[in-house]
Amino acid sequence: MSAVISLSKDANRSRSKGTQDSSIKIKAVCLLLGVMLLPILIGLGLWQLQRADAKRELIKQAQHAPAIYNLAQQPQQLPGRVELQAKLSSSQLLLLDNRTREGRVGYELLSLFQDAGSGRWGIVNLGWIAAGADRALLPELPLLPGFEQPVSLKGMQVSAQPGFMLGADLWQPGWPKIIQQPDMAHFQQLFQRPLYPAIVRLTEPVVEGLDTRWDLVVMPAEKHLGYALQWFALALALLLWLAWFGWWRTRRITSTTPEVRGWTPLEHAIT
């Protein structure tokens, strides 16, 4: 009988020890992952702060850079200020689709133009116009000056790199044509002429009815600061958890030590 009880106690101790070992391994892995993740979170926060500083510097340079007055040279800085005298090709217009302003869907109106100072051709973004309730119908476009009438184009030259597209634009005959992304290679193919590699985006409208308010950067510095705050908050939460886990683990080990609690295991107490 005594041998059976002893075997039962040994089995229970073995199962208990196995469970404890498994629990210790899981907790050790969690602790290791937490320690590894902490510097990553802090690094992401610092990276967002650097991005915010870079955006501020970019905006500052663009706003204080000297304006160019013709397109004779290739663009040296993007974005950069321009003040041109040009002629608009009002019969060949492009509508950049799915552009939103204050929750409203609309288009950005693009036109071919010729710079009077250099004779070069380029693309100008004349501004944003709201779409109608029926997206199958194009909005009524404002009347633009004829090609014989020079106009003043004041704004910023920006990159014409296209974004992600699921498929190429399917251009239908006639004008205006609806496009999904500004693509200078496609524009040159469409207009059958070399074009200035940057798009001129107006900050002062040439006609009424077009919104020429723009953000110089897609993501402002304030948004980067918000993301940095989120990463630092996650790092702080993880640091607090690691501190709690270390305190809890130390307290558990101390409280389960026989000498501290003043008792001896049962197998040693029975003689």
Side-chain angles (χ1 to χ4, degrees):
M1 184 66 177
S2 178
V4 172
I5 293 176
S6 178
L7 289 174
S8 177
K9 289 182 178 180
D10 290 342
N12 290 335
R13 276 200 302 270
S14 178
R15 284 195 298 268
S16 177
K17 186 176 183 305
T19 302
Q20 291 177 358
D21 291 343
S22 178
S23 177
I24 291 173
K25 290 179 180 180
I26 294 175
K27 292 174 181 177
V29 170
C30 292
L31 182 62
L32 179 62
L33 291 176
V35 171
M36 294 174 61
L37 185 59
L38 183 60
I40 295 177
L41 295 176
I42 295 175
L44 288 172
L46 294 175
W47 176 67
Q48 288 294 340
L49 291 179
Q50 292 174 354
R51 294 286 293 165
D53 290 338
K55 291 295 179 64
R56 292 195 195 96
E57 185 63 26
L58 178 63
I59 293 173
K60 181 180 178 181
Q61 290 179 0
Q63 291 176 339
H64 293 86
I68 63 171
Y69 299 95
N70 62 68
L71 304 183
Q73 297 182 348
Q74 295 294 93
Q76 301 297 318
Q77 177 181 331
L78 295 177
R81 294 172 53 231
V82 294
E83 295 184 13
L84 309 173
Q85 293 295 316
K87 297 178 180 180
L88 297 177
S89 178
S90 57
S91 61
Q92 297 175 306
L93 301 176
L94 304 170
L95 288 173
L96 190 55
D97 200 4
N98 295 320
R99 306 291 145 161
T100 59
R101 290 285 175 93
E102 299 175 351
R104 300 178 63 192
V105 180
Y107 304 89
E108 291 176 13
L109 181 60
L110 277 60
S111 172
L112 182 69
F113 76 93
Q114 186 178 29
D115 174 39
S118 64
R120 296 183 70 175
W121 292 84
I123 300 294
V124 57
N125 189 327
L126 298 169
W128 180 88
I129 186 171
D134 186 356
R135 291 300 305 276
L137 301 177
L138 295 180
E140 183 177 352
L141 301 180
L143 183 62
L144 299 178
F147 191 74
E148 305 80 15
Q149 180 182 353
V151 295
S152 177
L153 303 182
K154 295 182 180 181
M156 305 291 293
Q157 56 177 347
V158 296
S159 173
Q161 294 296 329
F164 174 76
M165 294 176 57
L166 294 176
D169 286 320
L170 300 177
W171 289 331
Q172 301 296 328
W175 301 89
K177 297 185 185 298
I178 298 178
I179 62 174
Q180 302 300 318
Q181 294 289 343
D183 189 329
M184 199 57 69
H186 287 174
F187 291 163
Q188 292 184 134
Q189 180 183 1
L190 174 65
F191 294 114
Q192 295 295 303
R193 65 179 76 247
L195 297 173
Y196 188 69
I199 289 180
V200 175
R201 193 164 62 186
L202 296 187
T203 55
E204 297 184 13
V206 296
V207 294
E208 295 182 358
L210 296 174
D211 190 344
T212 55
R213 296 172 299 167
W214 311 97
D215 293 323
L216 282 178
V217 291
V218 176
M219 185 180 295
E222 292 76 15
K223 186 166 288 189
H224 285 291
L225 292 177
Y227 286 145
L229 182 61
Q230 292 179 5
W231 289 122
F232 288 140
L234 288 174
L236 178 60
L238 179 59
L239 182 62
L240 292 175
W241 179 83
L242 290 173
W244 173 85
F245 183 83
W247 170 83
W248 175 83
R249 186 63 184 163
T250 303
R251 183 172 178 273
R252 180 177 175 85
I253 294 173
T254 304
S255 63
T256 55
T257 303
E259 290 76 12
V260 172
R261 296 189 59 181
W263 56 271
T264 56
L266 182 62
E267 58 269 26
H268 294 287
I270 300 175
T271 56

